[in-house]
């Protein structure tokens, strides 16, 4: 029995000790350092920062180490830490047009001002296990496809690289993104619970923190006909942007640091009416770090969730605001799914009493009918 | 200074707040909770130490304010005939960071310095059927509060075992009519905290009053 | 035996410092003061609108959602240095999650704890109401997984919110009536819906319906916290709480033909403990503190001398 009359505390202490041993693994193997995690498992760090909602690679690396590499657990650790932090200021909107670009691609134009920049990507790797990586290399190892010379690393682009959606908007071919009031309130679901209908600010915050797997599946479902949105990857860009705040005593923006983000702008199904000529519509994704799959899935789901606003029929899960926003958070979801591990024997006893009673009555009825 | 800091020293003539912000606000909250969950009971609320709110704000009402107000709660202050209201405003702004609003129905909390001049309760926010919790909590300073006193109101409703007797001095004569009209709005309606200088009582919207 | 275990850790300076009485850089009872104020305001509105679910800005706690984060946030917002806390899960003080939550508050608030129901000022519970009557001045804090009693019948919050606004609970009555048509009974044995003060339909958290009658006219204040769903609700003391039923099918609670094997009680909620693989079982009180008090007072059941089985450490 795992339900103790006495001894629960000792059992918990022992469980923690066993977990610590399992985390460390074979002590003959050198212990992971946070630097190693941050530098060599960077995409895991990025996901944990994004869904954990804290841009701090060292804390994310610590969370990954503590969670034995379970990223959802690491996200939970970071979120719980985040909840204790004071809220000091609201940043100005990020200007991704001024990003120091490391990767930028558009699927909608063959070439465009600033060009296509592949940057670091798995896209064209052949997914062959690279056994060279299994051996610690003295020199930086080459990739399976590119033995020999070190890659010709393009320097970060910071020349003018207009966003594809801005180019389309200049020709009035895509709906304009009307900037919100820069001094108006910004919804924050970490301070106020979700309420419906949710504004786009709340929705994008929810999706940016949402579980990558959940958004991936929903985005995928929209491509397979469950609320089709005819998406084109207008542009995906990844790089560094400045974060600015306006301190009250200064009255003008100052840069407090740089963060790496991935932005995805989907160009979708056009819409028009008797009075408005047809224009493409938008779906938007923005996440911390290099998290391209998440940014793309987010952009698909954002667009699907605009169904009500754009007068489309709501027929698919990805278009259902309550369904998506209430179930996207993996910290909430993992807790509630796993709480089924907790004892429920009191309620189960109630069900046993009920089912036994119903069965006795049913058997008596059958017996009565037979006699 | 952060809006969270309730333990700031006196500066520029502002009276001190709680000496022990964590403990004193917890104790004050429990007094308010007891009062709200047992309408008609009178709870002592007189923070110890150098707690010194400016007049006309009394210690009990100030303790409620320092416990519940912050930058998320718009506060409406009644006019102070002696013109000292701005000292209270400065005090509350400094210790709680709460924004002051002139419109009664935009307030999460209203603070009425003189119970004899309480505005009609209907001027405050009563919430909506789908969000009745968005109503104003009205804190009214009164001269004295006595449970089971003479010449009193009879209270019934949730939180009361049978009926409670309750008397209050320093309230507008026809205030009971306001409370009766407010109770009829349920689930909408304001909730009232009555604050004598060193004690409080509460009349949530569920309490039926017979004068 | 000292009923109250005072496990006050060092470093509880108590006055003047930031977060006095906290632990390891965290504030007293973990939550920051701003979060506590927000939750305190929600609690007061909940008390003023009995049975209505007040939305609140639930924080991410260092324990998982679904494991009592709502109850923990409520307790953290009300608890003070002089409180005595009891935590139970399934009626027992020593179930693992109850132990874990009690430890959390000892660690972050340095408060005293007890297993004796009558000694506690705050009782945090999951799935049970203690057998012994609670006292005026006590506060019972429930951990709530799904606060919306209509959720199984209508998944959308936007719809259920309207139903509460209009007090339109027709779908619940239809559901209960369909049960009767199908089984001859209402087939809900736990989380059995109640009507609070004649107005709001309310989920009693998943306590067994055996405990529903205890909610009515209870001298203690009942607070309910749902962390993941971000709702707080309350039932003030001495408030009318009715379990839904029909004139021809009145509400009934569970009964057992057995008595508690340890203390012999015939009026408590019993847990079934499986003894072997041939269907032999033993019934014992779910409220372990109540059972222990009865045994200490000399009551014995059929297996009164059996040592309660425990967890493998």
């Amino acid at each position: 029995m795992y339900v103790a009359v006495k001894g629960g505390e000792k059992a918990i202490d022992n469980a923690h000790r066993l977990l610590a041993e399992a985390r460390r693994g074979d002590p003959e193997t050198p212990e992971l350092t946070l630097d190693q995690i941050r530098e060599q498992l960077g995409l895991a760090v990025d996901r944990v920062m994004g869904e954990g909602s804290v841009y701090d690679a060292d804390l994310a690396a610590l969370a990954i180490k503590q969670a034995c590499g379970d990223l959802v657990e690491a996200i939970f650790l970071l979120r719980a830490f985040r909840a204790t932090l004071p809220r000091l200021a609201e940043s100005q909107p990020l200007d991704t047009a001024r990003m120091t670009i490391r990767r930028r691609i558009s699927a909608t134009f063959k070439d465009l001002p600033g060009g296509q920049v592949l940057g670091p990507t798995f896209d064209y790797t052949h997914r062959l296990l690279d056994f060279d990586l299994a051996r610690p290399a003295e020199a930086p190892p080459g990739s399976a496809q590119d033995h020999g010379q070190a890659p010709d690393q393009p320097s970060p682009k910071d020349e003018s690289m207009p966003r594809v959606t801005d180019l389309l908007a200049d020709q009035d071919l895509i709906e304009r993104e009307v900037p919100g009031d820069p001094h108006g309130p910004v919804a924050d679901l970490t301070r106020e619970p979700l309420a419906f209908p949710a504004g786009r600010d709340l929705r994008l915050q929810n999706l940016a923190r949402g579980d990558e797997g959940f958004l991936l599946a929903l985005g995928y479902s929209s491509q397979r006909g469950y609320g089709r949105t005819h998406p084109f990857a207008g542009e995906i860009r990844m790089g560094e942007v400045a974060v600015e705040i306006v301190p009250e005593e200064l009255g003008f923006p100052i840069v407090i640091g740089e963060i790496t983000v991935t932005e995805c702008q989907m160009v979708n199904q056009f819409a028009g009416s008797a009075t408005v000529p047809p224009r493409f519509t938008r779906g938007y994704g923005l996440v911390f770090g290099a998290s391209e799959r998440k940014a793309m899935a987010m952009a698909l789901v954002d667009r699907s969730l605009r169904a009500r606003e754009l007068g489309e029929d709501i027929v698919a899960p990805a278009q259902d605001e309550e369904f998506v926003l209430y179930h996207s958070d993996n910290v909430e979801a993992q807790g509630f799914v796993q709480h089924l591990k907790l004892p429920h024997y009191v309620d189960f006893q109630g069900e046993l009493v009920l089912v036994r009673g119903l069965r006795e009555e049913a058997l008596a009825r059958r017996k009565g009918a037979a006699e | 200074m952060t809006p969270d800091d309730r333990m700031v020293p006196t500066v520029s003539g502002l009276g001190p707040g709680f000496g022990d912000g964590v403990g004193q606000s917890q104790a004050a909250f429990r007094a308010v909770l007891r009062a709200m969950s047992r309408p008609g009971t009178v709870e002592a609320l007189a923070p110890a130490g150098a707690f010194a709110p400016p007049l006309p704000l009394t210690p009990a009402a100030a303790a409620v304010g320092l416990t519940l107000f912050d930058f998320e709660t718009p506060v409406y202050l009644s006019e102070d005939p002696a013109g000292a209201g701005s000292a209270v405003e400065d005090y509350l702004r400094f210790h709680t960071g709460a924004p002051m609003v002139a419109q009664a129905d935009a307030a999460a909390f209203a603070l009425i310095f003189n119970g004899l001049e309480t505005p009609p309760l209907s001027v405050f926010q009563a919430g909506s059927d789908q969000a009745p919790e968005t109503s104003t909590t009205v804190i009214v300073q009164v001269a004295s509060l006595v449970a089971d006193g003479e010449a009193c109101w009879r209270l019934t409703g949730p939180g009361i075992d049978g009926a409670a007797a309750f008397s209050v001095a320093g309230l507008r004569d026809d205030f009971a009519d306001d409370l009766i009209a407010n109770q009829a709005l349920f689930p909408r309606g304001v909730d009232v905290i009555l604050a004598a200088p060193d004690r409080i009582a509460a009349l949530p919207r569920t309490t039926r009053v017979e004068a | 035996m000292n009923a109250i275990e005072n496990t006050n850790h060092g470093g509880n300076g108590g006055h003047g410092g930031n977060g006095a009485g906290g632990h390891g850089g965290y504030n007293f009872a973990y939550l920051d003061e701003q979060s506590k104020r927000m939750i305190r305001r929600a609690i007061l509105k909940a008390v003023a609108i009995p049975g209505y679910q007040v939305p609140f800005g639930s924080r991410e706690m260092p324990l998982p959602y679904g494991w009592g984060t709502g109850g923990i946030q409520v307790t953290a917002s009300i608890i003070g240095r002089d409180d005595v806390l009891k935590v139970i899960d399934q009626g027992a003080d020593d179930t693992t999650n109850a132990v874990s939550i009690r430890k959390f508050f000892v660690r972050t608030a340095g408060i005293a704890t007890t297993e004796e129901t009558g000694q506690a000022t705050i009782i945090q519970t999951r799935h049970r109401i203690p057998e012994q009557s609670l006292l005026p001045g006590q506060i019972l804090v429930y951990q709530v997984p799904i606060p919306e009693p209509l959720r199984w019948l209508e998944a959308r919050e936007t719809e259920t919110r309207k139903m509460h606004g209009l007090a339109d609970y027709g779908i619940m009555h239809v559901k209960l009536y369909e049960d009767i048509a199908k089984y001859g009974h209402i087939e809900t044995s736990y989380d059995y819906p109640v009507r609070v003060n004649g107005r709001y339909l309310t989920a009693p958290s998943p306590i067994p319906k055996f405990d529903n009658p205890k909610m009515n006219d209870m001298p203690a204040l009942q607070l309910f916290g749902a962390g993941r769903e971000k709702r707080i609700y309350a039932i003030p003391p001495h408030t009318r709480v009715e379990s839904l039923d029909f004139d021809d099918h009145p509400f009934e609670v569970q009964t057992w033909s057995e008595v508690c094997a340890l203390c012999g009680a015939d009026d408590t909620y019993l847990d079934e403990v499986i003894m072997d693989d041939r269907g032999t079982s033993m019934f014992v009180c779910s409220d372990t503190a109540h059972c222990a008090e009865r045994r200490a007072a000399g009551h014995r059941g059929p297996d009164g001398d059996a040592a309660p089985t425990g967890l493998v450490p």
Side-chain angles (χ1 to χ4, degrees), chain C residues 92-113:
Chain C
D93 296 86
D94 217 19
T95 33
T96 40
N97 206 43
V99 169
S100 167
I101 291 171
R102 186 162 55 239
K103 212 169 169 178
F104 175 76
F105 281 110
V106 167
R107 192 169 159 181
T108 59
I111 42 84
T113 63

Side-chain angles (χ1 to χ4, degrees), chain A residues 99-218:
Chain A
M99 179 185 285
T100 307
I101 298 270
R102 282 197 278 151
R103 170 165 167 80
R104 186 270 197 125
I105 54 167
S106 169
T108 49
F109 295 100
K110 183 176 182 186
D111 198 6
L112 66 170
Q116 308 260 15
V117 181
L118 281 187
T121 176
F122 292 122
D123 283 354
Y124 303 104
T125 61
H126 297 154
R127 269 60 167 200
L128 304 170
L129 279 175
D130 178 358
F131 293 101
D132 287 348
L133 290 174
R135 291 185 296 274
E138 280 174 28
S143 73
Q145 284 80 36
D146 181 28
H147 287 285
Q149 277 191 316
D152 180 19
Q153 182 75 22
S155 54
K157 311 281 179 189
D158 55 0
E159 68 218 53
S160 167
M161 209 176 266
R163 288 177 295 216
V164 168
T165 45
D166 293 344
L167 300 173
L168 287 170
D170 287 346
Q171 300 173 56
D172 201 28
L173 287 171
I174 194 166
E175 56 181 340
R176 291 201 179 269
E177 205 68 275
V178 184
D181 174 6
H183 305 293
V186 181
D188 181 356
L189 56 80
T190 69
R191 316 297 299 183
E192 297 279 337
L194 276 177
F196 296 97
R200 201 173 181 199
D201 49 352
L202 202 59
R203 179 206 309 158
L204 290 173
Q205 183 191 16
N206 177 288
L207 297 180
R209 289 159 51 97
D211 183 73
E212 178 179 321
F214 178 76
L215 296 186
L216 182 66
L218 280 175

Side-chain angles (χ1 to χ4, degrees), chain B residues 4 6 20 25-26 29-30 37-38 67-68 70 72-73 129-130 132-133 135 137 158-159 161 187 191 205-206, chain C residues 14 33-34 37 40-41 45 48-50 52 55 78-81 83 137 161-162 165 197 200 219 237-239:
Chain B
D4 269 351
R6 310 273 141 151
D20 162 23
S25 57
Q26 186 273 337
F29 168 70
R30 284 287 280 278
S37 54
R38 291 177 172 75
T67 299
L68 296 174
D70 60 27
E72 291 182 335
T73 58
D129 283 336
Q130 285 194 37
E133 78 282 9
S135 65
T137 301
D161 188 5
D191 305 305
R205 67 194 82 179
T206 49
Chain C
E33 291 300 300
Q34 205 285 322
R37 269 194 302 280
R40 286 168 180 168
R41 292 192 296 259
K45 285 299 177 191
I49 318 166
Y52 168 77
I78 63 175
I79 202 164
R81 297 183 184 110
D83 275 308
R161 188 155 276 278
K162 276 181 216 155
N197 193 32
Y200 281 103
H238 301 295
T239 298

Side-chain angles (χ1 to χ4, degrees), chain C residues 90-226:
Chain C
Q90 313 294 295
D93 296 86
D94 217 19
T95 33
T96 40
N97 206 43
V99 169
S100 167
I101 291 171
R102 186 162 55 239
K103 212 169 169 178
F104 175 76
F105 281 110
V106 167
R107 192 169 159 181
T108 59
I111 42 84
T113 63
T114 185
E115 296 190 2
E116 281 183 38
T117 302
Q119 294 278 352
T121 55
I122 299 171
I123 301 169
Q124 180 168 329
T125 182
R126 174 169 173 265
H127 293 192
R128 273 313 310 274
I129 298 175
E131 301 291 358
Q132 104 183 37
S133 296
L134 298 186
L135 306 168
Q138 288 185 313
I139 302 177
L140 183 60
V141 178
Y142 295 75
Q143 301 170 201
V144 181
I146 301 282
E148 177 50 70
L150 300 166
R151 185 61 70 232
W152 315 125
L153 308 174
E154 170 54 64
R156 279 169 202 286
E157 171 70 13
T158 41
E159 294 301 317
T160 52
R161 188 155 276 278
K162 276 181 216 155
M163 292 175 191
H164 286 295
L166 299 166
D168 173 7
Y169 299 129
I171 56 167
M172 181 58 86
H173 287 100
V174 169
K175 189 262 175 198
L176 297 178
Y177 200 79
E178 282 174 357
D179 274 8
I180 292 169
K182 195 168 168 190
Y183 299 107
H185 297 274
I186 291 171
E187 60 105 11
T188 300
S189 58
Y190 58 92
D191 210 4
Y192 190 105
V194 296
R195 196 86 185 255
V196 175
N197 193 32
R199 175 58 174 80
Y200 281 103
L201 189 72
T202 302
S205 86
I207 56 170
K209 67 178 180 177
F210 180 89
D211 285 338
N212 277 25
K214 298 175 189 165
M215 300 175 83
N216 182 48
D217 199 30
M218 184 189 279
L221 169 64
Q222 303 173 70
L223 300 177
F224 299 77

Side-chain angles (χ1 to χ4, degrees), chain A residues 2 79 320 322 332 351, chain C residues 60 156 158 189 230 269 311:
Chain A
Y2 77 130
R79 286 269 195 97
D320 184 329
E322 276 202 50
E332 291 176 5
E351 293 287 89
Chain C
E60 268 131 347
R156 279 169 202 286
T158 41
S189 58
K230 303 168 180 60
Y269 193 86
L311 188 146

